[in-house]
């Protein structure tokens, strides 16, 4: 049996074990084996970057689920962004990766609703309280009971919080238009904004709490979707886009 086959079998077994531990709430054990599975997968990816290991393809998603279950919000956000970038890089040719990319997007959407609102006067005291309860893991139904609100009221306020966060994030009409037309993900649109400011990967990584590798993957996917060869050409491409429109 080849070393690649052995690694694939081992990573798959560790992923399965990690999910068993997760299902029984043995979160520390789950994290240990899932991180080991991810380390093996990274070594396999270095040897064969064009073909992902399908036997352990669920491992990145399992790690996201683990950190969410453990209420490790920053770790969960980072894991989800890395998983999404990984799955999206193969989604066009591998249906399983496309499926996991969509599942990961749902995890990210739920995570976004649980993040604390910025300490800004734009948010009401009630919206801040709801956001903090979401961060602590309360469901919208539990929040409604705790704050003596209807479920509809809580849902409406959560929607308002999300809308305000989008506004505060600096989203602009031009990038939003490009993102919609070229089907960019939220992170790819973020990369476009940073590249237009000539920001380096280190700045992007630090401000978005992403690893360097995740930033590189998002930028590579962005350039591919816009048919741009080099990141230095992004500004000229956007100017050309404006003139065309």
């Amino acid at each position: 049996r080849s070393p690649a086959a052995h690694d694939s079998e081992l990573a798959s077994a560790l992923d399965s074990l990690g999910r068993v531990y997760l299902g029984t709430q043995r979160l520390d054990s789950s994290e240990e084996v899932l991180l080991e599975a991810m380390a093996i997968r990274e070594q396999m990816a270095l040897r064969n970057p064009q073909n992902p290991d399908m036997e352990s393809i669920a491992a990145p998603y399992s790690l996201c689920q683990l950190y969410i279950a453990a209420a490790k919000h920053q770790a969960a956000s980072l894991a989800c962004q890395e998983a999404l970038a990984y799955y999206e890089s193969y989604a066009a040719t591998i249906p399983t990766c496309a499926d996991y990319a969509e599942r990961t997007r749902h995890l990210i959407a739920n995570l976004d609703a649980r993040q604390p609102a910025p300490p800004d006067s734009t948010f009401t005291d009630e919206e801040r309280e709801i956001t903090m309860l979401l961060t602590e893991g309360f469901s919208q139904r539990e929040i409604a009971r705790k704050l003596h609100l209807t479920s509809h009221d809580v849902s409406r306020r959560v929607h308002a919080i999300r809308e305000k966060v989008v506004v505060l994030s600096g989203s602009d009409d031009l990038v939003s238009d490009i993102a919609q037309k070229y089907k960019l993900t939220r992170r790819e649109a973020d990369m476009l904004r940073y590249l237009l400011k000539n920001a380096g990967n280190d700045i992007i990584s630090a401000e978005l709490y992403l690893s360097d590798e995740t930033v590189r993957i998002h930028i590579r996917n962005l350039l591919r979707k816009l048919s741009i060869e080099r990141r230095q050409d992004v500004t000229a491409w956007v100017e050309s886009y404006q003139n065309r429109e």
Side-chain angles (χ1 to χ4, degrees), residues 61 87 91 94-106:
Y61 183 79
Y87 289 131
I94 302 176
T96 302
C97 288
D99 178 58
Y100 273 110
E102 186 60 28
R103 293 191 202 180
T104 306
R105 289 188 196 98
H106 286 302

Side-chain angles (χ1 to χ4, degrees), residues 93-238:
T93 55
I94 302 176
T96 302
C97 288
D99 178 58
Y100 273 110
E102 186 60 28
R103 293 191 202 180
T104 306
R105 289 188 196 98
H106 286 302
L107 291 183
I108 292 172
N110 289 332
L111 267 178
D112 286 345
R114 292 170 180 260
Q115 296 303 312
D120 188 276
S121 58
T122 304
F123 296 89
T124 66
D125 290 340
E126 190 174 65
E127 287 170 347
R128 289 197 187 93
E129 187 171 7
I130 288 173
T131 305
M132 290 306 299
L133 290 171
L134 287 169
T135 303
E136 292 169 9
F138 286 85
S139 68
Q140 291 191 26
R141 182 174 298 179
E142 291 169 333
I143 293 172
R145 288 199 297 266
K146 188 176 181 66
L147 300 184
H148 306 292
L149 298 170
T150 66
S151 295
H152 176 71
D153 285 338
V154 173
S155 178
R156 191 157 47 84
R157 284 164 173 77
V158 168
H159 178 73
I161 291 166
R162 287 174 174 165
E163 291 295 315
K164 290 178 181 179
V165 169
V166 169
V167 171
L168 291 174
S169 69
S171 176
D172 59 272
D173 292 340
L174 177 59
V175 172
S176 297
D177 183 57
I178 293 172
Q180 182 176 7
K181 184 170 183 177
Y182 289 89
K183 295 180 171 57
L184 303 183
T185 66
R186 180 170 61 88
R187 281 305 188 199
E188 288 163 0
D190 288 339
M191 297 303 120
L192 180 55
R193 293 186 184 93
Y194 276 99
L195 292 182
L196 287 172
K197 294 187 289 186
N198 295 315
N201 285 14
D202 55 339
I203 294 176
I204 301 173
S205 178
E207 293 191 1
L208 296 182
Y209 300 101
L210 300 174
S211 70
D212 289 340
E213 179 59 24
T214 300
V215 170
R216 285 195 291 270
I217 291 174
H218 283 312
I219 290 176
R220 185 175 69 226
N221 290 342
L222 167 68
L223 297 181
R224 175 177 54 79
K225 289 183 179 180
L226 300 185
S227 299
I228 301 175
E229 291 187 4
R230 304 180 308 158
R231 62 188 292 160
Q232 294 90 336
D233 297 330
V234 166
T235 299
W237 185 95
V238 170

Side-chain angles (χ1 to χ4, degrees), residues 72-82 111 115 187 210:
K72 296 181 178 180
H73 300 293
Q74 185 168 330
S77 179
L78 178 59
C80 285
Q81 292 298 336
E82 291 184 339
L111 267 178
Q115 296 303 312
R187 281 305 188 199
L210 300 174

Side-chain angles (χ1 to χ4, degrees), residues 28-126:
D28 289 342
S29 298
S30 179
E31 182 177 17
E32 182 179 350
V33 296
L34 285 175
L35 288 176
E36 187 174 348
M38 292 294 292
I40 295 172
R41 284 177 53 80
E42 288 174 6
Q43 290 300 315
M44 288 190 291
L46 289 174
R47 291 196 299 264
N48 187 5
Q50 301 303 319
N51 299 299
D53 177 57
M54 298 304 296
E55 295 299 319
S56 60
I57 198 68
Y61 183 79
S62 299
L63 192 62
C64 297
Q65 291 180 306
L66 162 70
Y67 286 135
I68 291 172
K72 296 181 178 180
H73 300 293
Q74 185 168 330
S77 179
L78 178 59
C80 285
Q81 292 298 336
E82 291 184 339
L84 181 59
Y86 173 78
Y87 289 131
E88 284 186 335
S89 65
Y90 297 105
T93 55
I94 302 176
T96 302
C97 288
D99 178 58
Y100 273 110
E102 186 60 28
R103 293 191 202 180
T104 306
R105 289 188 196 98
H106 286 302
L107 291 183
I108 292 172
N110 289 332
L111 267 178
D112 286 345
R114 292 170 180 260
Q115 296 303 312
D120 188 276
S121 58
T122 304
F123 296 89
T124 66
D125 290 340
E126 190 174 65

